[in-house]
């Protein structure tokens, strides 16, 4: 375990480990800036570019198999809409209280889902990724874990996995809980331990509590947050969870938080990068790591003072933006462009 990108240490005041040392680079949906997201090709490219973790979002098939898709509705990430044999599967569902129309993974068996092929989710932004439309299957979580094992051997370093349970309450209400198969898969691979190269993440605190208390999961977990609102079916807002008291409570069962990057360093009214909030300091005081999301290279996703041209899809000063966040003390970065994250980390560490 000496080659792990981050060392896990049990904080004396908490049962949650906090990543310390070298910041981790998390391949957001794989190397989604270069390949269609949530495909084995995307995950493998992220690892080969130097990412420490591959990050799959997990949803369920009708027969209870965990697969990697950003959402249960898959018309934007697969070719299902062009498949006449599945035309009658299109319907409207309420996903966390929001009406959503399309095709849903829970209406397909794994065998049926495997006949589909991935497509680029944002072709207007990443037109070059459309070159790979139709080439890759929807992978299962177990296939991703097998890829993790293979790449760890080939690259001679431990590749981690950073799975997210997507819409856990929604799936539980359908009789397809995500927690049980996730925990079972990690245990089969020997990854349910406090020092495992794993972070299990969710936007639902109750989902994480259940995995810790009811399923006995001891692999590190991350509570994801947004700048507004609350977890689904939870009376507490994200802002309440991120108070010093809320963070200390979270430290009883999670290893860290995954905030929107604007919660770490907000932009000013003119969209230039502002000054850091106290979130990193508050989280570290509670023994929690901080892994903000999502760092992308295109100008439209960067603060105004880090853009290079007016072309929204051209790359801007993404390395400099990430260095600014590393200087603010974050413990890792979710990035669509793993190679840029690795360069930013190297420059940050060598600059002292």
């Amino acid at each position: 375990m000496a080659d792990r990108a981050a060392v896990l240490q049990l904080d004396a005041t908490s049962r949650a480990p906090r990543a310390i040392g070298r910041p981790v680079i998390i391949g957001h949906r794989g190397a989604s800036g270069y390949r269609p997201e949530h495909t084995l090709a995307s995950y493998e490219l992220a690892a080969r570019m130097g990412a420490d973790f591959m990050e799959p979002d997990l949803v369920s098939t009708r027969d209870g198999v965990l697969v990697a898709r950003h959402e249960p509705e898959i018309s934007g990430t697969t070719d299902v809409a062009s498949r006449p044999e599945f035309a009658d599967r299109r319907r409207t569902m309420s996903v966390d209280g929001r009406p959503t129309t399309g095709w849903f993974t829970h209406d397909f068996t794994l065998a049926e889902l495997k006949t589909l092929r991935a497509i680029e989710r944002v072709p207007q932004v990443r037109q070059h990724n459309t070159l790979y439309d139709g080439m890759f299957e929807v992978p299962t979580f177990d296939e991703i874990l097998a890829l993790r094992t293979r790449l760890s051997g080939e690259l001679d370093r431990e590749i981690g996995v950073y799975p997210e349970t997507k819409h856990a309450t929604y799936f539980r209400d359908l009789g397809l809980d995500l927690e049980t198969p996730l925990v079972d898969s990690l245990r089969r691979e020997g990854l349910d331990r406090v020092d495992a190269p794993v972070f299990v993440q969710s936007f639902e605190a109750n989902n994480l509590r259940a995995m810790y208390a009811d399923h006995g999961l001891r692999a590190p977990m991350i509570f994801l947050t947004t700048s507004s609102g609350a977890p689904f079916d939870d009376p507490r807002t994200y802002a309440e969870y991120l108070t010093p008291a809320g963070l200390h409570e979270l430290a009883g069962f999670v290893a860290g938080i995954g905030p929107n990057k604007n919660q770490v360093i907000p932009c000013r009214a003119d969209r230039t990068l502002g000054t850091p909030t106290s979130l990193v300091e508050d989280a570290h005081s509670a023994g929690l790591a901080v892994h903000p999301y999502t760092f992308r290279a295109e100008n439209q996703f960067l603060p105004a003072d880090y853009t290079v041209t007016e072309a929204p899809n051209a790359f801007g000063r993404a390395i400099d933006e990430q260095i600014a966040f590393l200087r603010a003390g974050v413990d890792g970065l979710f990035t669509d462009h793993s190679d840029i994250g690795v360069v930013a980390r190297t420059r940050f560490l060598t600059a002292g």
Side-chain angles (χ1 to χ4, degrees):
M1 303 298 291
D3 291 333
R4 285 196 57 195
V7 179
L8 292 172
Q9 173 175 284
L10 193 64
D11 187 270
T13 62
S14 167
R15 290 179 294 178
R18 181 170 81 80
I20 60 174
R22 192 170 68 151
V24 296
I25 303 303
I26 304 148
H28 183 242
R29 309 176 194 175
S32 54
Y34 305 109
R35 297 290 186 276
E37 66 187 35
H38 294 309
T39 59
L40 292 180
S42 182
Y43 300 131
E44 179 161 357
L45 182 58
R48 292 191 181 280
M49 284 181 162
D52 304 301
F53 289 86
M54 306 181 297
E55 191 252 353
D57 296 335
L58 299 180
V59 294
S60 181
T61 66
R62 187 171 70 198
D63 42 353
V65 179
L66 295 183
V67 294
R69 289 292 89 188
H70 178 51
E71 295 287 344
E73 201 286 302
I74 55 173
S75 62
T77 59
T78 73
D79 60 359
V80 67
S82 67
R83 298 294 190 93
E85 67 270 32
F86 297 128
D88 62 349
R89 306 280 177 97
R90 187 174 186 268
R91 61 168 169 156
T92 299
M93 296 287 293
S94 177
V95 180
D96 291 356
R98 298 179 180 177
T100 304
T101 299
W103 289 261
F104 297 84
T105 58
H106 49 77
D107 290 331
F108 293 78
T109 65
L110 177 62
E112 291 173 328
L113 205 62
K114 281 292 189 180
T115 68
L116 303 179
R117 291 297 179 267
I119 61 174
E120 171 56 35
R121 183 178 60 87
V122 285
Q124 69 280 11
V125 178
R126 293 168 177 167
Q127 190 276 334
H128 54 282
N129 281 7
T130 64
L131 289 169
Y132 304 98
D133 283 356
M135 293 181 62
F136 308 124
E137 293 183 355
V138 175
T140 68
F141 183 46
D142 285 342
E143 288 170 339
I144 295 166
L145 291 177
L147 176 66
R148 185 203 81 83
T149 299
R150 175 172 68 82
L151 290 176
S152 294
E154 288 183 15
L155 300 176
D156 196 28
R157 63 185 179 89
E158 187 100 84
I159 305 299
V161 64
Y162 208 123
E164 178 184 350
T165 52
K166 296 290 290 194
H167 304 289
T169 299
Y170 169 79
F171 276 103
R172 192 178 308 111
D173 290 344
L174 293 172
L176 294 166
D177 92 277
L178 304 179
E179 297 90 347
T180 299
L182 170 59
V183 173
D184 287 349
S185 288
L186 291 177
R187 285 179 176 157
R188 280 196 301 271
E189 296 295 319
L191 296 173
D192 182 18
R193 60 182 198 274
V194 73
D195 64 340
V198 173
F199 288 103
V200 176
Q201 54 175 330
S202 177
F203 279 100
E204 298 181 31
N206 291 333
N207 172 223
L208 298 172
R209 284 193 189 94
M211 281 190 280
Y212 186 89
D214 300 336
H215 293 265
L217 183 68
R218 291 301 176 264
M221 294 188 289
I222 297 289
F223 178 49
L224 301 171
T225 72
T226 66
S227 301
S228 62
F232 180 70
D233 200 25
D234 191 327
R236 298 174 65 179
T237 66
Y238 287 114
E240 289 176 279
Y241 277 111
L242 296 185
T243 64
L247 291 166
H248 279 278
E249 178 187 340
L250 287 170
F253 59 96
V254 303
I257 57 172
N260 184 297
K261 65 180 184 178
N262 291 329
Q263 294 177 280
V264 175
I265 309 180
C267 285
R268 302 182 180 93
D270 62 358
R271 291 191 58 252
T272 60
L273 195 63
T275 58
T277 68
S278 67
L279 182 58
V280 171
E281 181 180 356
D282 292 343
H284 286 175
S285 293
L288 297 173
V290 181
H291 298 162
Y293 66 88
T294 302
F295 291 88
R296 299 179 168 103
E298 296 90 352
N299 282 319
Q300 64 180 288
F301 302 118
L302 294 168
D305 46 338
Y306 286 80
T307 60
V308 173
T309 71
E310 293 185 1
N313 299 327
F315 281 13
R317 294 171 49 222
I319 294 172
D320 293 336
E321 183 207 23
Q322 292 177 33
I323 290 173
F325 278 80
L326 292 168
R327 286 174 176 160
V330 302
D331 303 283
L333 305 168
F334 285 85
T335 176
D336 288 3
H337 304 85
S338 300
D339 53 341
I340 293 175
V342 170
V343 170
R345 178 177 63 188
T346 298
R347 291 178 66 86
F348 164 72
L349 293 175
T350 56

